[in-house]
Amino acid sequence: MRIRDLQEKLEKKKISSTEATQNYLKRIAAFNPKLNCFLTVCENEALAAAKASDERRAAGRTIGPLDGIPIGLKDIFVTEGIRTTCASKILENYIPPYDGTTSKRLKEAGAVMLGKLNMDEFAMGSSNEHSAFGPAANPWNTAMIPGGSSGGSAAAVAADLCAASFGTDTGGSIRQPAAFCGITGMKPTYGRVTRYGIIAFASSLDQAGPMGNSAADVAVLLNATCGFDENDSTSLKEPVPDFTQSLGKDIQGMKIGIPAEYFIDGIDPEIETAVREAAKVYEKMGATVREIRLPHTEYAVPTYYIIAPAECSANLARYDGVRFGLRDKKAESLMEMYTASRTQGFGPEVTLRIVLGTYVLSSGYYDAYYLKAQKVRTLIKNDFVEAFRKVDAILTPTTPTTAFKRGEKIDDPLKMYLNDIFTIPVNLAGLPGISLPCGFSGNGLPIGMQLIAPPLQEARLIQLGDAYQRETGWHLRSPVL
Amino acid sequence: MSAWNEKYEAVIGLEIHAQLLTRSKLFCRCPADFHSEPNTNICPVCTGQPGALPVLNRRAVEMAVKAGLALHCDIQERSVFARKNYFYPDLPKGYQISQYELPLCLGGFVDMAVDGKKQRITLQRIHMEEDAGKLLHDARHPKVSHVDLNRCSVPLIEIVSGPDIRTPQEAAEYYRTIRNTLVYLGVCDGNMQEGSLRCDANISVRPCGQKEFGTRAEVKNVNSFKYIESAVLYEIKRQIGIVESGGKVLQETRLWNSEKCETRSMRSKEEAHDYRYFPDPDLLPLVVDKKWIEEIKKTVPELGPQKARRFVADFGLTEYNAAVLTAEKPIADYFEAAVQIHNHPVRLSNWILSELMRELKDRGLDVTEIKTTPKQLGSLIDLIEKGTISGKIAKEIFPEMLNTGTEPADLVKEKGLQQVSDTETIEKCIEEIFANPEEKDNIAKWRAGKTNVLGYFVGQVMKATRGKANPEKVNEILRKKLG
């Protein structure tokens, strides 16, 4: 409950926001060189925001629970006047002329933005190795990757380089690194948090979400960022509850489903054990656990790897060197300028996905791939609709393995893609999902479990997550840096 | 030389792009005004900044539906925006948001007449899409182009006709009919020079009697009625020439060159581009329910052809005059306002079609910009009908009326221009003329039966009275006098 603890200290005047910010800036200076979580540190802006927060507090005008709290934003959130790179060379010096809505809402909540966090380029990756500005490291073992694409966001929270952070999740990019780094991360229902100001990867899948060291902190962050935004046509108008109301509640009688399809060969046995242990904890707390089926699970990864690249190929067409970003100035013709700028600007994984996406949308292939994938997507979504008739939430491992060594999977894209096998279906179905620490492997690496709820039931996930964290202490462990 | 249509038939379809007269752009709040300084009406959304998203302009939808209703289309309750993907510097996102498989309107038709022959041209569809920016090339620096994004994302509707048009004249008439309808509705200003209305023509030829269509070529940006006829005719003859010499017409895009009066192949566009259309995931499907359609239907005004029929029936105008009068809504409205107050429809309409329209042309003004109100014009006509002034005098004072917005009655009084109709004054005037010894010969000519001398004397009376004498009265009295 880092945010709550810090807020209490601020209220009791045990520390000022300026001091807390300075502490974090010192930690960043000390540990970022090794961890490479932060791509941009906003020392001046952060201290100015902290000062403003302290002044508000002194005048009795504290805005709310996030006022004065230092946080980090994945470098995919557009921040006015502050370099936003998406970890890509093509945006290496891009200074946005506007603020995305999430960045704005956090500012309005009084949060102190420490800086922009490392990620896989354009959110495409599961290990933060595809960053144009160097990989991020897992604080639990710096030879290991922190996960991705919100790797820097997860590592920074785990290493306590910020009180909390925000990431984005298209196929698991919040939940998977949260699991690898032993923190709590949530992807809300599609449409709950605005996409205006998130650099688009796959428009029908992208969602922004909070990453913190507890469900309690995640609740506070959700309160500040969920809700309708008129700038986003896919933003939901549904009313947003106060998620902190779901804390401290018991879960007597809740029905939890465990899908058989998520306990397959190839999953790390320690992970399976840890997740089944977690199920027992829930039973002890009064929930009932039963097996359910999600029969189309095996089609999720191939479906995703048609839809996401297709949408990304169009979303990344705007990076053409004309209006902003990298432009090859030596080019002699328009075509040359386009191809040189994009070839130099995009990394190999991004290039791969653009080419793949262009292919599946092309004439003669659209029906067989893109259209078909959208239909299969509906089947996958319907699996969950069926399952939620019988259970209130679904419990699964977040990942099939714990964090792996840097360089281990980078040359095998398919192997890399299977990291997201348990998280992808949730994006395809547009559901909310949370990852919570539920144990450690024999070699000291965090294990994460995932809870999935029906649409708009983030409160239920907070309730279940918080209940688990009141019973266990996995989320309280910190890495030694 | 035989006419081209003796052995061949042309099959023509037109795609018309019309800019909607909304205040804002299609997907953002920027003003839809691209006459401003370059790159001043822009924002993160229409310049395709990272993270920006489109939000649909409701008014644009209303205007598009209005157009669809006026053109007798089937308004689709559910239509979908799709991304049309290609790279060009005037297209910031690298894709244009358009509609593909599920457009807003399907079907439709317009009725028109060419050389008196009535004809119905069907429409295939109308869909909504955003416009691209403008590229400006600097002749002094051939390697530099300037990009102005003011026009990016301005709302357009694309109206696609069926392949029903058969001649260059029909093409021009169809274009004219569509333009008039859109301008009448107030959804487009129909300005072809500025590009708020653009037209591409798809043209193919086939031997008379053949059922299959020939290969078609697209001629782009033929933006005036005059050019469309010339371009279509040129292209028809060009294609016939190819076919007659045993060649094959290429499916390609060609540009009309109005200076050289020819179409030229656009080599840079080559084969059919694969646009990789897919539904835009940033936008929800557009739902236009029956209730909304009904509300919009109420705002569709009486259109030109309908108005013309009414003018013939209610005011006894000729079909031709009614058609010309109703071609532009502001003129028709002006006429109707005037005729409500002074009920002389025939003379009023003739006056508008001759005197008023000539003055407007000479002054470069729109009828909505002149100082003379419909009531005042009606009064002027009234003065003529009542015999207070002659038609000639009326024509003389009309320009001044337009200059100053003065009441015609006041002008007449001020200048003492009342028509002289009383018998005594005219008789006196005639006597004065006859008293002139120089007129003896002419009087003798009349007595000798040369009736054209009458006209001469009428002219003399008019001259003497400075045009104020009532010509009919003068005629009448002269005949009596001369016997």
Side-chain angles (χ1 to χ4, degrees), chain A residues 32-48:
Chain A
N32 200 54
K34 197 156 80 154
L35 296 176
N36 202 23
C37 299
F38 280 87
L39 293 178
T40 300
V41 179
C42 306
E43 185 163 332
N44 295 332
E45 292 86 352
L47 290 170

Side-chain angles (χ1 to χ4, degrees), chain B residues 313-342:
Chain B
D314 293 356
F315 300 122
L317 303 186
T318 63
E319 256 183 47
Y320 179 82
N321 280 359
V324 183
L325 204 59
T326 57
E328 312 258 325
K329 188 166 185 288
I331 299 269
D333 289 347
Y334 192 94
F335 164 79
E336 269 204 277
V339 92
Q340 299 306 331
I341 300 167
H342 296 276

Side-chain angles (χ1 to χ4, degrees), chain B residues 32-65:
Chain B
D33 166 18
F34 48 92
H35 299 113
S36 316
E37 279 297 296
N39 295 316
T40 49
N41 290 329
I42 56 173
C43 74
V45 177
C46 56
T47 56
Q49 296 294 314
L53 295 173
V55 178
L56 184 59
N57 179 337
R58 194 186 156 87
R59 192 90 179 87
V61 177
E62 279 176 9
M63 288 196 178
V65 170

Side-chain angles (χ1 to χ4, degrees), chain A residues 274-323:
Chain A
V275 175
R276 291 203 188 276
E277 272 304 308
K280 292 208 186 87
V281 171
Y282 276 120
E283 279 177 315
K284 204 176 88 186
M285 290 192 282
T288 53
V289 176
R290 52 168 288 180
E291 198 180 87
I292 57 163
R293 308 304 310 262
L294 294 171
H296 295 91
T297 301
E298 63 178 302
Y299 303 112
V301 171
T303 300
Y304 175 85
Y305 278 102
I306 288 170
I307 295 175
E311 293 178 4
C312 109
S313 71
N315 284 329
L316 269 65
R318 65 192 63 196
Y319 305 106
D320 55 9
V322 175
R323 297 163 311 294

Side-chain angles (χ1 to χ4, degrees), chain A residues 78 91 94 97-98 190 195-200 203-204 230-234 310-311 314-315 317-320 322-324 332 334 338 342 358 361-363 366 370, chain B residues 29 44-45 47-56 83 85-95 101 143 147 149 274-284:
Chain A
V78 166
L91 289 178
Y94 177 65
Y98 78 108
Y190 182 82
R195 287 186 303 113
Y196 184 75
I198 300 175
I199 297 181
S203 315
S204 73
E230 61 178 7
N231 294 310
D232 177 353
S233 302
T234 60
E311 293 178 4
N315 284 329
R318 65 192 63 196
Y319 305 106
D320 55 9
V322 175
R323 297 163 311 294
F324 54 79
E332 296 272 295
L334 181 65
Y338 281 156
R342 287 163 69 83
T358 307
L361 288 175
S362 57
S363 167
Y366 176 88
Y370 187 76
Chain B
R29 290 202 178 87
V45 177
T47 56
Q49 296 294 314
L53 295 173
V55 178
L56 184 59
R83 294 187 184 179
N85 300 281
Y86 65 95
F87 287 90
Y88 207 57
D90 66 1
L91 194 68
K93 294 189 294 296
Y95 58 85
E101 283 182 331
K143 289 211 165 184
V147 185
L149 300 177
D274 181 5
Y275 292 114
R276 301 189 300 281
Y277 287 97
F278 70 101
D280 193 328
D282 288 332
L283 292 165
L284 303 180

